[in-house]
Amino acid sequence: MTTTKKPPASRRRSPGPVPVAPPCGTCDGTGETTTTVRVGRKRREIGAIQTGLCPDCFGTGTA
Ligand SMILES: [Zn+2]
């Protein structure tokens, strides 16, 4: 009688890191894009910032 002891299979399935959606690169994860409005006359910059929904992630902030 041969007792072949198999080593306990240590196949623990580690759940691992929870997959996190990478942040959108366009809006940097904010979900919004800011566009500085410039008025061309005399190179004046009024510096109005328009915030809009990110066209890439549609406001979700994740790519
Ligand atoms: Zn985005």
Side-chain angles (χ1 to χ4, degrees):
M1 198 172 193
T2 54
T3 54
T4 52
K5 272 191 178 179
K6 284 185 180 178
S10 57
R11 284 186 183 179
R12 285 185 185 174
R13 287 183 183 177
S14 58
V18 180
V20 179
C24 177
T26 304
C27 61
D28 208 17
T30 59
E32 287 182 346
T33 53
T34 54
T35 308
T36 307
V37 179
R38 293 180 184 179
V39 179
R41 196 181 271 190
K42 288 187 181 180
R43 291 182 185 176
R44 259 192 175 182
E45 291 185 14
I46 56 176
I49 299 177
Q50 277 189 341
T51 55
L53 212 64
C54 179
D56 281 0
C57 64
F58 299 103
T60 58
T62 51

